[in-house]
Amino acid sequence: MLKPQLHQSHLSTKIPFLLPKPFIHGSGHASFPVYSRSLSTKANKEVRVGHKHGSIKSIASVTQQSTDVKAVVTVKQTVVDFWTEIGIERGLDDLKDLFGKTLLLELVSAELDSKTGLEKPSIRKYAHKIDHEGEDIKYEADFVVPPDFGEIGAIFVENEHHKEMYLHDVVFDGFPTGPVHVTCDSWIHSKFDNKKKRLFFTNKSYLPSETPNGLTKLREEELETLRGNDNGERKNGERIYDYDVYNDLGNPDSDPETARPVLGGKEHPYPRRCRTGRPRTESDPLTETRSSSFYVPRDEEFSEIKMGTFSAKTLKSVLHALVPSLSTAIVDSELGFPFFSSIDALFNEGINLPPLKKQGFWKDLLPNLFRAITDGTKDVLKFETPDTMERDRFFWFRDEEFARQTLSGLNPCSIKMVTEWPLRSKLDPEIYGPQESAITTEMVEQEIKGFMTCGQAVKDQKLFILDYHDLFLPFVSKIRELKGTTLYGSRTLFFLTHEGTLRPLAIELTRPPMDGKPQWKQVFRPAWHSTGVWLWRLAKAHVLAHESGYHQLISHWLRTHCCTEPYIIAANRQLSEMHPIYRLLHPHFRYTMEINALARQYLINAKGIIETSFFPGKYSMELSSVVYDQEWRFDYEALPKDLINRGMAVEDPSAPHGLKLMVEDYPYANDGLVLWDIIKEWVSDYVNHYYPDSSLIVSDNELQAWWTEVRTEGHADKKDEPWWPVLKTPQDLIETMTTIIWIASGHHAAVNFGQYTYAGYFPNRPTTARMNMPTEDPNDELLKLFWEKPEVILLTTFPSQIQATTVMAILDVLSNHSPDEEYLGQQIEPSWTEEPAINAAFVKFNGRLKEFEGIIDERNADIKLKNRNGVGVVPYELLKPFSDPGVTGKGVPCSISI
């Protein structure tokens, strides 16, 4: 095995090194050349040490007894930090800078003293400020390192300022073997707030068994610090990772109607979140109190570099200010759109919002959405026309587009192949009524018009389904008790045509026995008469609402955001910062905990955006718990196994990717499998480098503790399931790592960054249905309205004005790429450059991703692939790796950061 080594070089050659994109939004990599001149071999020969603007030049001075080493520290300037503050503390900090005592650095040897077996004495020096250019503030310190000190294994850092600072990295130059890099990308608390110094290891990665003996104790102690002691309320600035259930979504002390069940436990199984330790509410001892800010460990928080932007910060501002402004502008929360032209006006004329104290606030915050009108005294919320609408104004009306989007739209993760006929419910008939579907063989054969029999269609794998029948039916009765929403169990059946496209055949809507009435179910089919046509359109609106809710709560929130948080918590508690698997996963965990905390504050909380805008209302999170309990399996989160589980693919060693797709032109699967293989190849190269033998995986106590904790703590309600992978071989680890990285990157990109494209014009993806079908319990008044004004029935079924505009504004932000987005495989991590084999593997990874972009372009230009191109059709680019800023409908970020 190639063991981690420092950069080797001839002393007279230029040694390039990378300053990586920080764990905050900055400008990405900056490359600085480092020069090391030939060292003098004469005893006591002194050589000047200097710093030159524009590059870092270091000249080492060596005696027979010691080596002169220069440390250059880079601190990142943020938008709101101590550099721009005024006051007594700022003055004291300026004095610290003036006297050269800003940061105390302490070098730790990687090896114990061979004679005593104890830690070697550390070397301490203060770093003084030398430069402030752009976002970077530079400090330096000069060390005299004795010859028996050995390699630097770690450093302690103490911040002498009164305010925290963001430490990017420390580079030590002057060693004969070349520069030593310590990438920090972390907030350093003031010593006046916390006396404990911060510890950082060098960029060399070590398995636990290979840890230099001088670092073994520090490695263990640092993990103990991050685990905390499970006591007390977490405070801002802390770095403690621990678990808790979802018991902070409501605030029953201030509003009893916001009481919500605890998610996590036997009654409502759920993944765990980061523990905050806040007190319990007085009215419910199981519910945790809420506060204005939700704790996440300090280095998981968003931070803004000067002149930088970040979409999640924008989202927070929108939630704070826009939603209340919309509520003021649209007085009646139940008011729907009177005409389709009123919906079009959102893009053409906009909504006048009440004035804010800060004039131009909206235009500065959301320039894409807001246009200042001529007199400059008002703000107008004017939505950008989504690309789908721009290409084809009636795209949302067409049945072929309705079917196409099940394969290449916003939620391509629900479509399944029909494997049994007739369709039949598995629910208790005593409670939910007859199990038999109302979709009959005769109906199917009438629709496919002699192509084949229904039995042959099933046998030939031609029938596909969106099946929300058994999942939603138990919720129908209680959701219908809520104001302004309704629900059915639904099945939507499709036929695979000879052109490779799906054709909708039938929609079945079911109401269980309730309110003294028997089960009601009806099948709606594409029709050639006005009554049938409008009933079909209404049925589609209900199914699209079901799709929207499932997409947002399950495909998006549950499967990516929610289920990933336990991996992050466990990694920080059990995997050392110097562990190669921690360093492999770390780019894919950035910002996820913070965006999840933001979701608990504003999106998934009681009476939050999801509850007030999507059909399940107050039962939204309870519904996601049911799906987690019944459907979620870690092994099925791997794309190939997910496709096989849904009947959309079968194993075929002779086929590309080892799978034969049941729908050959399935853009999400076609592109996803290429991306999956690219990720898996990179992970294989990485894992096989560090684990050439299975025994190294079995004996890796940190790795095994991490994976055990993911199962037994993070996903405790499923800890005894037999399908959990066991990490025994490199292949086990490769499959597990690839699955986690795929979910955080490819899967999340596929279900997130097309939201405004496909749901920005909300009739294409209504989030709720507010009105029952007119054929269910009809009355004369309703039938008369339907007969004379069917458009009014459809508009009344759609979301209200406040629901639609709120969701549209949120989706615009969620679909937006920040100017400094971190894309999959775009920038190498500093620790990976330490290993030539890993560096080479990453270069290959990056190259394959660039090739993949060309593959997608070729596919989108192929007129034979009708599910990804055609007149008025938006090409499928959601898995295209890289993107420009903005709402682009493409780009795969490394992590779930929005």
Side-chain angles (χ1 to χ4, degrees):
M1 182 181 71
L2 291 173
K3 292 186 178 180
Q5 298 292 330
L6 288 169
H7 286 296
Q8 303 290 328
S9 68
H10 297 291
L11 296 177
S12 60
T13 61
K14 183 191 296 187
I15 306 170
F17 69 97
L18 292 174
L19 291 180
K21 185 169 184 180
F23 189 2
I24 48 182
H25 277 264
S27 57
H29 288 278
S31 183
F32 293 84
V34 178
Y35 301 95
S36 295
R37 295 183 183 175
S38 298
L39 302 179
S40 171
T41 57
K42 295 181 180 180
N44 301 315
K45 175 70 175 178
E46 294 294 330
V47 185
R48 180 179 57 85
V49 178
H51 173 79
K52 181 178 179 181
H53 179 74
S55 66
I56 302 173
K57 290 190 176 181
S58 298
I59 305 168
S61 171
V62 176
T63 70
Q64 292 177 339
Q65 293 79 31
S66 62
T67 303
D68 287 353
V69 174
K70 181 177 293 297
V72 177
V73 182
T74 302
V75 170
K76 289 289 182 181
Q77 177 170 316
T78 56
V79 173
V80 182
D81 69 5
F82 56 91
W83 304 108
T84 57
E85 291 177 2
I86 58 174
I88 295 176
E89 289 183 347
R90 166 62 191 269
L92 294 173
D93 291 345
D94 283 346
L95 287 174
K96 289 287 180 72
D97 287 345
L98 182 64
F99 290 107
K101 290 190 175 183
T102 306
L103 289 166
L104 178 62
L105 304 181
E106 187 172 337
L107 309 190
V108 179
S109 174
E111 302 295 337
L112 297 176
D113 190 303
S114 59
K115 296 180 181 179
T116 66
L118 302 175
E119 290 89 352
K120 294 179 181 179
S122 60
I123 309 172
R124 300 169 49 154
K125 282 288 182 180
Y126 283 102
H128 58 277
K129 184 176 177 182
I130 59 171
D131 192 19
H132 182 181
E133 180 179 354
E135 298 172 355
D136 295 344
I137 302 97
K138 299 285 186 180
Y139 298 83
E140 69 176 27
D142 296 305
F143 291 88
V144 178
V145 180
D148 60 350
F149 186 78
E151 289 186 8
I152 297 177
I155 61 172
F156 284 104
V157 181
E158 183 176 79
N159 175 12
E160 306 296 313
H161 275 185
H162 288 76
K163 298 291 184 179
E164 66 177 359
M165 62 174 65
Y166 190 87
L167 182 58
H168 173 45
D169 72 353
V170 184
V171 180
F172 296 92
D173 198 44
F175 290 103
T177 51
V180 175
H181 298 265
V182 181
T183 301
C184 307
D185 284 334
S186 181
W187 289 97
I188 310 298
H189 57 260
S190 166
K191 75 173 186 179
F192 300 102
D193 296 327
N194 185 343
K195 295 292 185 183
K196 189 171 183 177
K197 299 173 185 175
R198 285 295 309 279
L199 173 68
F200 297 98
F201 297 105
T202 65
N203 286 1
K204 294 174 66 174
S205 297
Y206 297 100
L207 297 178
S209 61
E210 299 171 340
T211 308
N213 57 19
L215 303 179
T216 302
K217 183 179 178 182
L218 292 176
R219 182 171 184 151
E220 295 171 353
E221 288 178 347
E222 181 68 3
L223 286 173
E224 290 174 1
T225 297
L226 294 173
R227 293 183 196 124
N229 58 14
D230 196 29
N231 291 324
E233 182 176 355
R234 298 275 68 85
K235 306 297 183 184
N236 289 337
E238 291 184 340
R239 300 167 52 243
I240 295 175
Y241 297 77
D242 203 356
Y243 302 95
D244 208 343
V245 293
Y246 280 75
N247 62 351
D248 62 346
L249 301 180
N251 189 359
D253 283 352
S254 62
D255 183 357
E257 291 186 0
T258 65
R260 296 292 182 269
V262 173
L263 301 183
K266 186 175 181 180
E267 188 173 355
H268 298 289
Y270 218 58
R272 300 304 191 258
R273 63 167 175 90
C274 182
R275 178 183 177 274
T276 59
R278 291 179 303 232
R280 302 302 174 94
T281 61
E282 295 180 2
S283 55
D284 180 6
L286 297 178
T287 298
E288 190 174 87
T289 55
R290 293 171 63 83
S291 62
S292 58
S293 64
F294 281 30
Y295 166 81
V296 293
R298 184 66 180 101
D299 287 337
E300 306 293 338
E301 294 182 40
F302 301 125
S303 296
E304 294 183 7
I305 292 298
K306 187 177 182 182
M307 302 303 291
T309 62
F310 195 62
S311 298
K313 286 292 186 184
T314 305
L315 176 60
K316 193 169 185 177
S317 298
V318 168
L319 293 167
H320 261 304
L322 177 59
V323 174
S325 294
L326 282 171
S327 299
T328 302
I330 304 172
V331 179
D332 186 354
S333 62
E334 298 180 29
L335 183 66
F337 290 89
F339 312 103
F340 276 95
S341 58
S342 304
I343 300 174
D344 294 341
L346 296 174
F347 307 98
N348 303 324
E349 301 172 16
I351 302 172
N352 289 332
L353 293 182
L356 299 178
K357 291 182 180 179
K358 181 181 176 182
Q359 189 173 347
F361 171 79
W362 290 122
K363 190 178 180 183
D364 294 338
L365 181 67
L366 291 170
N368 287 339
L369 291 184
F370 286 86
R371 307 287 184 271
I373 60 175
T374 52
D375 63 5
T377 60
K378 296 180 181 179
D379 282 309
V380 177
L381 173 59
K382 184 179 178 183
F383 291 94
E384 290 282 355
T385 303
D387 196 16
T388 43
M389 190 71 171
E390 193 74 54
R391 289 170 177 258
D392 181 357
R393 184 178 177 186
F394 301 104
F395 80 103
W396 65 279
F397 226 45
R398 295 189 285 107
D399 287 350
E400 61 271 25
E401 179 65 8
F402 167 58
R404 189 189 73 85
Q405 287 183 27
T406 65
L407 301 171
S408 55
L410 194 51
N411 183 36
C413 311
S414 291
I415 189 78
K416 300 177 182 179
M417 188 174 71
V418 174
T419 56
E420 297 179 356
W421 192 267
L423 300 175
R424 190 176 172 86
S425 171
K426 293 180 173 61
L427 297 176
D428 186 349
E430 295 296 322
I431 300 174
Y432 300 104
Q435 296 174 312
E436 295 76 18
S437 170
I439 302 176
T440 65
T441 297
E442 292 73 23
M443 290 178 180
V444 172
E445 292 179 347
Q446 287 173 12
E447 291 301 319
I448 59 179
K449 293 182 173 64
F451 279 107
M452 59 185 67
T453 65
C454 180
Q456 192 66 39
V458 175
K459 182 180 178 181
D460 291 352
Q461 301 169 328
K462 298 291 186 181
L463 293 184
F464 297 84
I465 191 170
L466 289 176
D467 192 351
Y468 298 123
H469 184 277
D470 285 10
L471 176 61
F472 289 171
L473 209 60
F475 285 87
V476 169
S477 179
K478 53 187 178 183
I479 284 179
R480 286 193 174 200
E481 293 176 359
L482 303 177
K483 188 176 181 181
T485 187
T486 190
L487 182 62
Y488 295 99
S490 70
R491 297 184 179 104
T492 307
L493 195 64
F494 301 89
F495 177 72
L496 181 62
T497 71
H498 68 281
E499 293 184 315
T501 59
L502 292 180
R503 176 185 165 192
L505 301 180
I507 293 172
E508 178 184 19
L509 300 179
T510 304
R511 180 199 68 198
M514 55 180 289
D515 301 332
K517 302 174 184 177
Q519 182 195 69
W520 176 90
K521 63 178 67 171
Q522 186 172 348
V523 178
F524 304 90
R525 292 185 280 169
W528 304 98
H529 180 263
S530 61
T531 304
V533 166
W534 275 102
L535 287 173
W536 172 251
R537 289 170 179 166
L538 290 168
K540 275 204 305 182
H542 282 272
V543 169
L544 288 168
H546 300 169
E547 266 278 277
S548 294
Y550 189 91
H551 159 260
Q552 204 63 264
L553 287 167
I554 311 305
S555 301
H556 187 194
W557 162 254
L558 177 67
R559 291 182 62 184
T560 66
H561 290 261
C562 185
C563 286
T564 296
E565 186 155 340
Y567 313 145
I568 303 172
I569 299 172
N572 283 278
R573 287 168 53 86
Q574 300 297 342
L575 294 176
S576 168
E577 173 193 328
M578 68 171 75
H579 198 293
I581 295 302
Y582 179 88
R583 285 173 163 165
L584 172 64
L585 291 175
H586 184 61
H588 306 288
F589 290 163
R590 289 170 176 157
Y591 313 124
T592 301
M593 291 181 69
E594 173 82 340
I595 196 67
N596 287 359
L598 192 64
R600 299 204 324 271
Q601 282 181 279
Y602 301 107
L603 297 176
I604 64 172
N605 59 302
K607 296 188 177 181
I609 300 298
I610 296 295
E611 285 197 3
T612 56
S613 303
F614 287 77
F615 74 84
K618 64 184 288 186
Y619 301 105
S620 294
M621 295 303 288
E622 187 178 330
L623 173 62
S624 72
S625 169
V626 170
V627 176
Y628 176 73
D629 182 36
Q630 296 179 0
E631 299 182 7
W632 189 86
R633 292 178 48 157
F634 178 83
D635 55 339
Y636 286 176
E637 293 304 287
L639 177 61
K641 291 184 179 179
D642 169 53
L643 294 170
I644 293 170
N645 178 53
R646 290 190 283 120
M648 300 302 292
V650 294
E651 292 189 43
D652 182 353
S654 66
H657 321 292
L659 291 181
K660 177 186 176 183
L661 294 176
M662 297 297 96
V663 180
E664 290 185 13
D665 182 15
Y666 183 1
Y668 166 71
N670 295 130
D671 293 357
L673 287 170
V674 176
L675 184 57
W676 170 273
D677 282 356
I678 293 172
I679 294 171
K680 190 170 184 177
E681 182 182 47
W682 152 244
V683 172
S684 298
D685 290 342
Y686 191 99
V687 168
N688 288 327
H689 174 69
Y690 287 103
Y691 297 97
D693 186 81
S694 296
S695 63
L696 291 171
I697 291 178
V698 175
S699 63
D700 188 333
N701 60 302
E702 287 184 6
L703 180 70
Q704 297 296 335
W706 166 68
W707 191 237
T708 297
E709 189 168 291
V710 165
R711 176 174 59 84
T712 61
E713 299 289 340
H715 288 274
D717 300 325
K718 288 182 172 282
K719 62 180 172 39
D720 297 321
E721 296 288 355
W723 41 254
W724 281 103
V726 178
L727 301 185
K728 291 184 178 180
T729 67
Q731 189 55 45
D732 296 335
L733 184 56
I734 289 166
E735 187 75 9
T736 299
M737 295 299 100
T738 304
T739 299
I740 291 174
I741 293 171
W742 158 256
I743 289 295
S745 57
H747 179 104
H748 181 258
V751 300
N752 182 77
F753 290 103
Q755 291 194 86
Y756 193 75
T757 301
Y758 286 102
Y761 187 76
F762 74 86
N764 185 59
R765 303 285 297 188
T767 56
T768 188
R770 298 188 299 146
M771 189 174 184
N772 294 336
M773 292 292 293
T775 52
E776 180 199 347
D777 300 329
N779 58 63
D780 293 342
E781 183 180 357
L782 177 62
L783 286 178
K784 185 176 186 296
L785 180 61
F786 175 57
W787 202 261
E788 296 177 355
K789 294 284 185 180
E791 179 182 329
V792 172
I793 299 294
L794 182 58
L795 287 166
T796 307
T797 300
F798 282 157
S800 68
Q801 291 188 31
I802 187 66
Q803 289 174 322
T805 52
T806 298
V807 171
M808 288 165 68
I810 299 300
L811 295 187
D812 179 86
V813 179
L814 293 180
S815 303
N816 190 74
H817 287 297
S818 172
D820 42 11
E821 188 80 83
E822 299 176 357
Y823 294 102
L824 183 67
Q826 187 177 43
Q827 303 285 8
I828 193 167
E829 291 292 299
S831 62
W832 300 344
T833 66
E834 297 282 328
E835 290 287 343
I838 300 301
N839 190 78
F842 183 85
V843 171
K844 182 173 65 173
F845 179 44
N846 174 268
R848 287 203 64 191
L849 288 168
K850 291 176 179 177
E851 292 173 1
F852 180 41
E853 292 217 316
I855 292 172
I856 290 177
D857 289 339
E858 290 176 3
R859 288 174 172 177
N860 287 334
D862 187 345
I863 61 173
K864 296 190 298 293
L865 302 178
K866 292 182 170 55
N867 291 322
R868 61 190 310 147
N869 65 41
V871 175
V873 171
V874 174
Y876 189 77
E877 295 185 313
L878 288 172
L879 290 174
K880 205 168 186 179
F882 310 116
S883 173
D884 294 327
V887 179
T888 64
K890 59 185 175 183
V892 181
C894 289
S895 64
I896 305 164
S897 58
I898 188 65

